[in-house]
Amino acid sequence: MLKLDFHPSGRHFLQIPGPSPVPDRILRAISLPTIDHRGPEFGALGLELLAKLKKVFKTEGPVVVYPASGTGAWEAALSNTLSPGDKVLMFETGHFATLWHKMARRLQLEPEFLGLPGYEGWRQGVQADMIEARLREDSAHEIQAVCVVHNETSTGVTSDIAAVRRAMDAAGHPALLLVDTISGLASADYRHDEWGVDVTISGSQKGLMLPPGISFNALSEKAIEASRASRMPKSFWAWDEILEANQNGYWPYTPNTNLLYGLNEALDMLMEEGLDHVFARHQRWAAGVRTAVEAWGLEVQCLDPAVYSPVLTGVVVPEGIDADEVRRIIYERFDLSLGMGLGKAKGKMFRIGHLGDCNDLTLIATLGGCEAGMKLAGVPLEGSGLAAALDYFAAHPLQGANR
Protein backbone atom coordinates (compact mmCIF):
# COMPACT_ATOMS: atom_id res chain seq x y z
CA MET A 1 0.00 0.00 0.00
CA LEU A 2 1.27 3.47 -0.89
CA LYS A 3 2.39 5.28 2.24
CA LEU A 4 1.67 9.01 1.95
CA ASP A 5 2.86 10.17 5.38
CA PHE A 6 6.38 8.80 5.13
CA HIS A 7 8.22 11.48 7.11
CA PRO A 8 10.11 9.82 9.97
CA SER A 9 9.81 12.51 12.64
CA GLY A 10 8.40 15.99 13.01
CA ARG A 11 6.16 17.72 10.50
CA HIS A 12 6.89 18.04 6.81
CA PHE A 13 7.37 21.68 5.81
CA LEU A 14 4.90 22.36 3.00
CA GLN A 15 6.04 25.78 1.81
CA ILE A 16 4.74 25.71 -1.73
CA PRO A 17 2.32 28.52 -2.64
CA GLY A 18 -0.65 26.15 -2.41
CA PRO A 19 -2.01 23.79 -1.47
CA SER A 20 -1.11 25.33 1.86
CA PRO A 21 -1.05 23.55 5.24
CA VAL A 22 -4.52 22.85 6.66
CA PRO A 23 -4.96 23.95 10.31
CA ASP A 24 -6.04 21.33 12.84
CA ARG A 25 -9.18 23.32 13.56
CA ILE A 26 -10.28 22.94 9.93
CA LEU A 27 -9.29 19.26 9.81
CA ARG A 28 -11.47 18.63 12.85
CA ALA A 29 -14.40 20.37 11.19
CA ILE A 30 -13.98 18.28 8.02
CA SER A 31 -13.97 15.10 10.12
CA LEU A 32 -17.54 15.63 11.42
CA PRO A 33 -20.17 13.11 10.27
CA THR A 34 -21.60 13.66 6.81
CA ILE A 35 -25.22 14.87 6.84
CA ASP A 36 -28.08 14.74 4.37
CA HIS A 37 -27.37 17.38 1.72
CA ARG A 38 -31.13 17.77 1.22
CA GLY A 39 -31.94 18.05 4.92
CA PRO A 40 -32.63 21.17 7.04
CA GLU A 41 -29.24 21.17 8.77
CA PHE A 42 -27.44 21.39 5.46
CA GLY A 43 -29.67 24.20 4.21
CA ALA A 44 -28.78 26.24 7.29
CA LEU A 45 -25.08 25.54 6.71
CA GLY A 46 -25.33 26.56 3.05
CA LEU A 47 -27.03 29.88 3.82
CA GLU A 48 -24.51 30.68 6.53
CA LEU A 49 -21.36 30.04 4.51
CA LEU A 50 -22.70 31.74 1.36
CA ALA A 51 -23.31 34.89 3.41
CA LYS A 52 -19.83 34.72 4.97
CA LEU A 53 -18.16 34.26 1.57
CA LYS A 54 -19.42 37.67 0.44
CA LYS A 55 -17.33 39.30 3.17
CA VAL A 56 -14.12 37.66 1.96
CA PHE A 57 -14.75 38.59 -1.68
CA LYS A 58 -15.96 42.03 -0.53
CA THR A 59 -19.13 41.85 -2.57
CA GLU A 60 -22.86 42.25 -2.13
CA GLY A 61 -23.49 39.89 -5.05
CA PRO A 62 -23.74 36.10 -5.09
CA VAL A 63 -20.76 33.76 -4.82
CA VAL A 64 -21.14 30.44 -6.65
CA VAL A 65 -19.40 27.46 -5.04
CA TYR A 66 -18.29 24.42 -7.06
CA PRO A 67 -16.94 21.01 -5.97
CA ALA A 68 -13.95 21.55 -8.27
CA SER A 69 -10.45 22.95 -8.55
CA GLY A 70 -9.70 26.51 -9.58
CA THR A 71 -9.44 25.34 -13.17
CA GLY A 72 -13.11 24.42 -12.98
CA ALA A 73 -13.94 27.95 -11.85
CA TRP A 74 -12.01 29.31 -14.87
CA GLU A 75 -14.17 27.22 -17.17
CA ALA A 76 -17.33 28.25 -15.33
CA ALA A 77 -16.48 31.93 -15.72
CA LEU A 78 -15.83 31.63 -19.45
CA SER A 79 -18.68 29.26 -20.27
CA ASN A 80 -21.34 31.25 -18.42
CA THR A 81 -20.51 34.67 -19.84
CA LEU A 82 -19.31 34.02 -23.41
CA SER A 83 -20.26 32.29 -26.65
CA PRO A 84 -18.16 30.31 -29.14
CA GLY A 85 -16.11 32.64 -31.36
CA ASP A 86 -16.15 35.54 -28.89
CA LYS A 87 -13.00 37.64 -28.74
CA VAL A 88 -11.30 37.78 -25.35
CA LEU A 89 -8.37 39.96 -24.28
CA MET A 90 -5.99 38.24 -21.84
CA PHE A 91 -2.73 39.43 -20.28
CA GLU A 92 0.29 37.15 -19.92
CA THR A 93 1.83 37.44 -16.48
CA GLY A 94 2.98 33.87 -16.00
CA HIS A 95 2.19 30.18 -16.25
CA PHE A 96 -1.37 30.33 -14.97
CA ALA A 97 -2.34 33.18 -17.26
CA THR A 98 -0.96 31.01 -20.06
CA LEU A 99 -3.06 28.02 -19.00
CA TRP A 100 -6.20 30.18 -18.87
CA HIS A 101 -5.41 31.34 -22.42
CA LYS A 102 -5.04 27.71 -23.51
CA MET A 103 -8.43 26.90 -21.99
CA ALA A 104 -10.06 29.76 -23.86
CA ARG A 105 -8.81 28.30 -27.13
CA ARG A 106 -10.12 24.85 -26.24
CA LEU A 107 -13.53 26.39 -25.54
CA GLN A 108 -13.53 27.82 -29.09
CA LEU A 109 -13.10 31.39 -27.98
CA GLU A 110 -10.69 33.74 -29.76
CA PRO A 111 -8.25 34.92 -27.09
CA GLU A 112 -5.74 37.66 -27.80
CA PHE A 113 -2.69 37.53 -25.54
CA LEU A 114 -1.07 40.82 -24.54
CA GLY A 115 2.16 40.86 -22.58
CA LEU A 116 5.75 41.91 -22.27
CA PRO A 117 8.23 39.74 -24.21
CA GLY A 118 10.14 36.69 -23.03
CA TYR A 119 11.00 35.51 -19.55
CA GLU A 120 11.44 39.10 -18.37
CA GLY A 121 7.76 39.70 -19.13
CA TRP A 122 6.97 37.17 -16.41
CA ARG A 123 8.69 39.40 -13.86
CA GLN A 124 6.16 42.23 -14.14
CA GLY A 125 2.47 42.69 -13.40
CA VAL A 126 -0.43 43.43 -15.72
CA GLN A 127 0.27 46.58 -17.75
CA ALA A 128 -3.04 48.44 -17.58
CA ASP A 129 -1.93 50.98 -20.19
CA MET A 130 -1.50 48.21 -22.76
CA ILE A 131 -5.03 47.00 -22.06
CA GLU A 132 -6.41 50.53 -22.39
CA ALA A 133 -4.61 51.09 -25.70
CA ARG A 134 -5.91 47.81 -27.15
CA LEU A 135 -9.47 48.49 -26.03
CA ARG A 136 -9.37 51.96 -27.60
CA GLU A 137 -8.48 50.30 -30.90
CA ASP A 138 -11.54 48.06 -30.59
CA SER A 139 -14.05 50.71 -31.66
CA ALA A 140 -16.57 48.06 -32.74
CA HIS A 141 -16.44 46.53 -29.23
CA GLU A 142 -15.75 43.04 -30.55
CA ILE A 143 -13.80 42.12 -27.41
CA GLN A 144 -16.30 40.65 -24.98
CA ALA A 145 -14.11 40.14 -21.91
CA VAL A 146 -10.78 41.10 -20.36
CA CYS A 147 -9.15 38.31 -18.32
CA VAL A 148 -6.30 38.97 -15.88
CA VAL A 149 -4.64 37.16 -12.99
CA HIS A 150 -4.57 39.05 -9.70
CA ASN A 151 -1.87 37.06 -7.90
CA GLU A 152 0.21 35.05 -10.39
CA THR A 153 1.23 31.98 -8.40
CA SER A 154 4.01 31.07 -10.79
CA THR A 155 5.91 34.33 -10.39
CA GLY A 156 5.00 36.09 -7.14
CA VAL A 157 3.44 39.14 -8.78
CA THR A 158 0.22 40.75 -7.50
CA SER A 159 -1.22 42.96 -10.23
CA ASP A 160 -3.21 46.15 -9.70
CA ILE A 161 -6.80 45.18 -10.58
CA ALA A 162 -8.18 48.63 -9.77
CA ALA A 163 -5.84 50.03 -12.43
CA VAL A 164 -7.19 47.55 -14.97
CA ARG A 165 -10.75 48.69 -14.23
CA ARG A 166 -9.70 52.34 -14.58
CA ALA A 167 -8.08 51.52 -17.93
CA MET A 168 -11.26 49.84 -19.19
CA ASP A 169 -13.38 52.77 -18.05
CA ALA A 170 -10.98 55.26 -19.63
CA ALA A 171 -11.30 53.40 -22.91
CA GLY A 172 -15.08 53.50 -22.60
CA HIS A 173 -15.23 49.79 -23.36
CA PRO A 174 -18.14 47.56 -22.23
CA ALA A 175 -16.15 44.29 -21.96
CA LEU A 176 -16.59 42.15 -18.89
CA LEU A 177 -13.70 42.01 -16.41
CA LEU A 178 -12.80 38.46 -15.30
CA VAL A 179 -10.15 38.11 -12.59
CA ASP A 180 -8.35 35.04 -11.24
CA THR A 181 -7.49 35.45 -7.56
CA ILE A 182 -7.08 31.75 -6.86
CA SER A 183 -3.91 32.32 -4.84
CA GLY A 184 -4.72 35.86 -3.75
CA LEU A 185 -8.03 35.50 -1.94
CA ALA A 186 -7.79 35.70 1.87
CA SER A 187 -4.06 36.47 1.68
CA ALA A 188 -3.93 39.67 -0.38
CA ASP A 189 -6.46 42.49 -0.27
CA TYR A 190 -9.17 41.90 -2.87
CA ARG A 191 -12.30 43.97 -3.56
CA HIS A 192 -14.74 42.50 -6.08
CA ASP A 193 -17.34 45.27 -5.95
CA GLU A 194 -15.09 48.29 -5.44
CA TRP A 195 -12.77 47.27 -8.30
CA GLY A 196 -15.66 46.70 -10.69
CA VAL A 197 -14.92 43.02 -11.33
CA ASP A 198 -17.62 41.04 -13.12
CA VAL A 199 -16.44 37.51 -12.33
CA THR A 200 -13.88 36.69 -9.66
CA ILE A 201 -12.40 33.19 -9.75
CA SER A 202 -10.85 31.56 -6.70
CA GLY A 203 -10.13 28.28 -4.96
CA SER A 204 -9.97 26.69 -1.54
CA GLN A 205 -6.38 25.48 -1.20
CA LYS A 206 -4.50 28.75 -0.77
CA GLY A 207 -5.40 31.56 1.65
CA LEU A 208 -8.59 29.78 2.73
CA MET A 209 -6.33 27.05 4.18
CA LEU A 210 -8.47 24.15 2.91
CA PRO A 211 -7.64 21.05 0.91
CA PRO A 212 -8.13 21.36 -2.86
CA GLY A 213 -11.64 20.69 -4.10
CA ILE A 214 -13.70 23.87 -3.79
CA SER A 215 -13.74 26.74 -6.27
CA PHE A 216 -15.70 29.96 -6.60
CA ASN A 217 -17.20 32.48 -8.99
CA ALA A 218 -18.20 35.82 -7.45
CA LEU A 219 -20.66 37.52 -9.80
CA SER A 220 -21.73 41.02 -10.75
CA GLU A 221 -25.20 41.79 -12.08
CA LYS A 222 -23.61 42.50 -15.46
CA ALA A 223 -22.09 39.01 -15.47
CA ILE A 224 -25.42 37.41 -14.57
CA GLU A 225 -27.09 39.33 -17.38
CA ALA A 226 -24.38 38.19 -19.81
CA SER A 227 -24.97 34.58 -18.76
CA ARG A 228 -28.54 34.79 -20.03
CA ALA A 229 -27.26 35.46 -23.55
CA SER A 230 -24.34 33.02 -23.47
CA ARG A 231 -24.46 30.21 -26.05
CA MET A 232 -21.55 28.22 -24.63
CA PRO A 233 -22.57 24.63 -23.86
CA LYS A 234 -22.69 24.02 -20.10
CA SER A 235 -24.55 21.99 -17.55
CA PHE A 236 -22.48 21.30 -14.43
CA TRP A 237 -21.08 24.85 -14.51
CA ALA A 238 -24.38 26.66 -15.24
CA TRP A 239 -25.00 29.49 -12.80
CA ASP A 240 -28.78 29.66 -13.13
CA GLU A 241 -29.61 26.34 -11.47
CA ILE A 242 -27.00 26.87 -8.75
CA LEU A 243 -28.21 30.37 -7.91
CA GLU A 244 -31.79 29.14 -7.72
CA ALA A 245 -30.91 26.26 -5.38
CA ASN A 246 -28.67 28.52 -3.27
CA GLN A 247 -31.69 30.64 -2.34
CA ASN A 248 -32.45 28.00 0.29
CA GLY A 249 -28.87 26.95 0.99
CA TYR A 250 -28.74 23.96 -1.34
CA TRP A 251 -27.08 22.91 -4.61
CA PRO A 252 -28.63 21.30 -7.71
CA TYR A 253 -26.26 18.34 -7.36
CA THR A 254 -24.39 16.65 -4.53
CA PRO A 255 -22.00 19.17 -2.95
CA ASN A 256 -18.75 18.30 -1.16
CA THR A 257 -20.40 18.33 2.26
CA ASN A 258 -17.39 17.78 4.51
CA LEU A 259 -15.22 20.29 2.66
CA LEU A 260 -18.02 22.81 3.16
CA TYR A 261 -17.76 22.15 6.92
CA GLY A 262 -14.11 23.10 6.59
CA LEU A 263 -14.93 26.16 4.49
CA ASN A 264 -17.36 27.41 7.12
CA GLU A 265 -14.70 26.96 9.80
CA ALA A 266 -12.07 28.74 7.68
CA LEU A 267 -14.40 31.69 7.15
CA ASP A 268 -14.96 31.91 10.91
CA MET A 269 -11.19 31.91 11.51
CA LEU A 270 -10.68 34.73 9.02
CA MET A 271 -13.50 36.83 10.46
CA GLU A 272 -12.33 36.29 14.04
CA GLU A 273 -8.85 37.49 13.15
CA GLY A 274 -10.07 40.29 10.89
CA LEU A 275 -9.20 40.53 7.20
CA ASP A 276 -7.05 43.64 7.65
CA HIS A 277 -4.87 41.75 10.13
CA VAL A 278 -4.72 38.74 7.80
CA PHE A 279 -3.45 40.94 4.97
CA ALA A 280 -0.97 42.75 7.24
CA ARG A 281 0.65 39.54 8.46
CA HIS A 282 1.03 38.26 4.92
CA GLN A 283 2.70 41.52 3.87
CA ARG A 284 5.02 41.28 6.86
CA TRP A 285 5.98 37.68 6.13
CA ALA A 286 6.67 38.56 2.51
CA ALA A 287 8.89 41.48 3.52
CA GLY A 288 10.86 39.24 5.87
CA VAL A 289 11.41 36.63 3.18
CA ARG A 290 12.51 39.27 0.66
CA THR A 291 14.96 40.58 3.26
CA ALA A 292 16.48 37.10 3.33
CA VAL A 293 16.71 36.92 -0.47
CA GLU A 294 18.45 40.30 -0.54
CA ALA A 295 20.95 39.17 2.11
CA TRP A 296 21.72 36.07 0.06
CA GLY A 297 22.56 38.37 -2.85
CA LEU A 298 19.92 36.77 -5.08
CA GLU A 299 17.13 38.32 -7.13
CA VAL A 300 13.43 38.22 -6.41
CA GLN A 301 11.51 36.96 -9.44
CA CYS A 302 9.22 40.00 -9.38
CA LEU A 303 11.16 43.05 -10.59
CA ASP A 304 8.62 45.71 -9.57
CA PRO A 305 8.44 46.38 -5.81
CA ALA A 306 4.98 47.92 -6.30
CA VAL A 307 3.54 44.50 -7.15
CA TYR A 308 5.48 42.18 -4.82
CA SER A 309 3.18 39.34 -3.77
CA PRO A 310 2.34 38.85 -0.09
CA VAL A 311 1.57 35.20 -0.88
CA LEU A 312 4.87 33.89 -2.22
CA THR A 313 8.36 34.95 -3.18
CA GLY A 314 10.16 33.66 -6.26
CA VAL A 315 13.93 33.28 -5.76
CA VAL A 316 16.05 33.45 -8.92
CA VAL A 317 19.22 31.34 -8.78
CA PRO A 318 22.45 32.36 -10.55
CA GLU A 319 23.06 31.42 -14.18
CA GLY A 320 24.38 27.88 -14.44
CA ILE A 321 22.55 26.64 -11.34
CA ASP A 322 19.52 24.37 -11.78
CA ALA A 323 16.83 25.56 -9.38
CA ASP A 324 15.10 22.19 -9.51
CA GLU A 325 18.28 20.47 -8.31
CA VAL A 326 18.43 22.98 -5.44
CA ARG A 327 14.82 22.11 -4.57
CA ARG A 328 15.59 18.39 -4.68
CA ILE A 329 18.47 18.72 -2.22
CA ILE A 330 16.36 20.87 0.14
CA TYR A 331 13.51 18.35 0.01
CA GLU A 332 15.66 15.29 0.59
CA ARG A 333 17.89 16.76 3.29
CA PHE A 334 15.46 18.98 5.20
CA ASP A 335 11.95 17.58 4.52
CA LEU A 336 10.94 20.91 3.00
CA SER A 337 8.82 21.33 -0.13
CA LEU A 338 9.27 24.47 -2.25
CA GLY A 339 7.49 25.50 -5.44
CA MET A 340 9.22 24.86 -8.74
CA GLY A 341 9.69 27.29 -11.60
CA LEU A 342 6.97 26.80 -14.22
CA GLY A 343 6.93 27.46 -17.95
CA LYS A 344 9.43 30.12 -18.95
CA ALA A 345 10.78 30.16 -15.37
CA LYS A 346 11.49 26.42 -15.16
CA GLY A 347 14.92 25.74 -13.68
CA LYS A 348 15.57 29.45 -13.15
CA MET A 349 13.89 29.95 -9.78
CA PHE A 350 12.11 28.34 -6.85
CA ARG A 351 9.12 29.65 -4.94
CA ILE A 352 8.70 30.07 -1.19
CA GLY A 353 5.08 30.12 -0.06
CA HIS A 354 4.25 32.27 2.98
CA LEU A 355 0.49 32.07 3.23
CA GLY A 356 -2.28 30.79 5.40
CA ASP A 357 -1.42 28.71 8.45
CA CYS A 358 2.12 30.00 9.07
CA ASN A 359 3.97 31.95 11.72
CA ASP A 360 7.39 33.56 12.09
CA LEU A 361 9.07 30.35 13.23
CA THR A 362 7.59 28.42 10.28
CA LEU A 363 9.28 30.85 7.91
CA ILE A 364 12.51 31.04 9.91
CA ALA A 365 12.82 27.26 9.68
CA THR A 366 11.95 27.40 5.97
CA LEU A 367 14.61 30.01 5.28
CA GLY A 368 17.12 27.99 7.30
CA GLY A 369 16.40 24.96 5.11
CA CYS A 370 16.71 27.06 1.96
CA GLU A 371 20.02 28.56 3.07
CA ALA A 372 21.56 25.25 4.08
CA GLY A 373 20.29 23.55 0.93
CA MET A 374 21.62 26.25 -1.37
CA LYS A 375 25.03 25.97 0.23
CA LEU A 376 24.98 22.21 -0.34
CA ALA A 377 23.94 22.81 -3.96
CA GLY A 378 26.85 25.19 -4.54
CA VAL A 379 24.83 28.40 -4.81
CA PRO A 380 27.14 31.31 -3.97
CA LEU A 381 25.56 33.41 -1.21
CA GLU A 382 26.72 36.85 -0.12
CA GLY A 383 25.44 36.56 3.43
CA SER A 384 22.96 34.91 5.74
CA GLY A 385 19.36 35.41 4.74
CA LEU A 386 18.29 33.52 7.83
CA ALA A 387 20.00 36.03 10.14
CA ALA A 388 18.54 38.93 8.16
CA ALA A 389 15.02 37.51 8.44
CA LEU A 390 15.44 36.91 12.18
CA ASP A 391 16.42 40.55 12.63
CA TYR A 392 13.53 41.72 10.43
CA PHE A 393 10.85 39.77 12.29
CA ALA A 394 12.25 40.83 15.67
CA ALA A 395 12.30 44.50 14.66
CA HIS A 396 8.85 44.50 13.02
CA PRO A 397 6.28 42.99 15.40
CA LEU A 398 2.73 42.68 14.13
CA GLN A 399 -0.05 44.37 16.05
CA GLY A 400 -2.81 42.21 17.54
CA ALA A 401 -5.80 40.78 15.73
CA ASN A 402 -9.49 41.02 16.61
CA ARG A 403 -9.34 37.84 18.64
Side-chain angles (χ1 to χ4, degrees), residues 36-51 242-253 255 260:
D36 175 10
H37 62 285
R38 301 287 179 232
E41 290 174 296
F42 186 90
L45 170 68
L47 289 174
E48 182 174 314
L49 68 85
L50 287 169
I242 300 174
L243 291 174
E244 182 179 356
N246 281 175
Q247 293 298 312
N248 296 310
Y250 300 100
W251 273 258
Y253 40 64
L260 294 181

Side-chain angles (χ1 to χ4, degrees), residues 89-351:
L89 186 63
M90 311 181 94
F91 202 95
E92 182 182 1
T93 46
H95 182 69
F96 291 98
T98 303
L99 291 180
W100 200 5
H101 176 266
K102 179 181 178 181
M103 174 185 283
R105 287 193 176 279
R106 291 176 71 99
L107 292 175
Q108 299 181 10
L109 298 169
E110 294 186 17
E112 178 181 342
F113 221 12
L114 290 182
L116 299 171
Y119 166 62
E120 293 301 308
W122 282 27
R123 305 184 72 181
Q124 308 281 346
V126 174
Q127 306 295 300
D129 58 336
M130 292 176 65
I131 291 176
E132 180 179 346
R134 180 63 187 94
L135 293 179
R136 287 185 182 278
E137 294 173 358
D138 182 34
S139 57
H141 295 167
E142 293 182 339
I143 294 170
Q144 298 300 308
V146 174
C147 301
V148 295
V149 175
H150 173 227
N151 189 81
E152 177 57 73
T153 323
S154 66
T155 62
V157 175
T158 303
S159 291
D160 187 343
I161 302 304
V164 175
R165 168 46 67 188
R166 289 193 298 270
M168 295 174 68
D169 291 345
H173 202 286
L176 296 164
L177 176 56
L178 278 55
V179 179
D180 166 351
T181 188
I182 291 171
S183 63
L185 189 76
S187 296
D189 190 14
Y190 189 83
R191 309 178 185 191
H192 176 89
D193 285 0
E194 182 180 328
W195 294 345
V197 182
D198 293 301
V199 186
T200 295
I201 294 128
S202 197
S204 59
Q205 73 275 21
K206 311 283 186 174
L208 289 174
M209 304 175 289
L210 291 158
I214 309 180
S215 61
F216 311 94
N217 282 173
L219 314 179
S220 73
E221 281 298 323
K222 184 178 176 181
I224 295 171
E225 186 62 32
S227 72
R228 298 188 179 108
S230 166
R231 301 189 310 278
M232 189 79 75
K234 54 192 163 290
S235 176
F236 179 84
W237 306 117
W239 290 339
D240 54 355
E241 291 184 350
I242 300 174
L243 291 174
E244 182 179 356
N246 281 175
Q247 293 298 312
N248 296 310
Y250 300 100
W251 273 258
Y253 40 64
T254 306
N256 40 6
T257 305
N258 289 61
L259 281 182
L260 294 181
Y261 295 166
L263 173 60
N264 201 43
E265 195 71 21
L267 294 170
D268 282 347
M269 292 173 69
L270 292 168
M271 293 305 119
E272 289 166 13
E273 181 178 355
L275 286 176
D276 287 344
H277 188 272
V278 172
F279 301 147
R281 65 177 164 85
H282 280 81
Q283 291 285 0
R284 176 175 169 276
W285 288 338
V289 171
R290 292 194 301 270
T291 298
V293 178
E294 182 180 358
W296 288 329
L298 301 177
E299 288 187 351
V300 172
Q301 169 74 14
C302 178
L303 290 175
D304 182 0
V307 292
Y308 281 150
S309 173
V311 179
L312 72 141
T313 299
V315 182
V316 180
V317 299
E319 194 76 27
I321 300 286
D322 181 359
D324 289 336
E325 176 62 13
V326 175
R327 286 176 53 254
R328 184 191 65 78
I329 291 171
I330 291 170
Y331 175 79
E332 292 182 354
R333 292 292 298 273
F334 303 108
D335 206 8
L336 166 62
S337 289
L338 301 168
M340 66 186 298
L342 299 168
K344 295 177 184 178
K346 181 171 177 54
K348 298 178 184 291
M349 52 89 84
F350 62 85
R351 295 172 293 149

Side-chain angles (χ1 to χ4, degrees), residues 35-69:
I35 59 175
D36 175 10
H37 62 285
R38 301 287 179 232
E41 290 174 296
F42 186 90
L45 170 68
L47 289 174
E48 182 174 314
L49 68 85
L50 287 169
K52 292 174 183 174
L53 275 171
K54 294 182 180 183
K55 297 178 181 178
V56 178
F57 283 89
K58 297 188 177 179
T59 182
E60 297 297 322
V63 180
V64 174
V65 181
Y66 294 103
S69 69

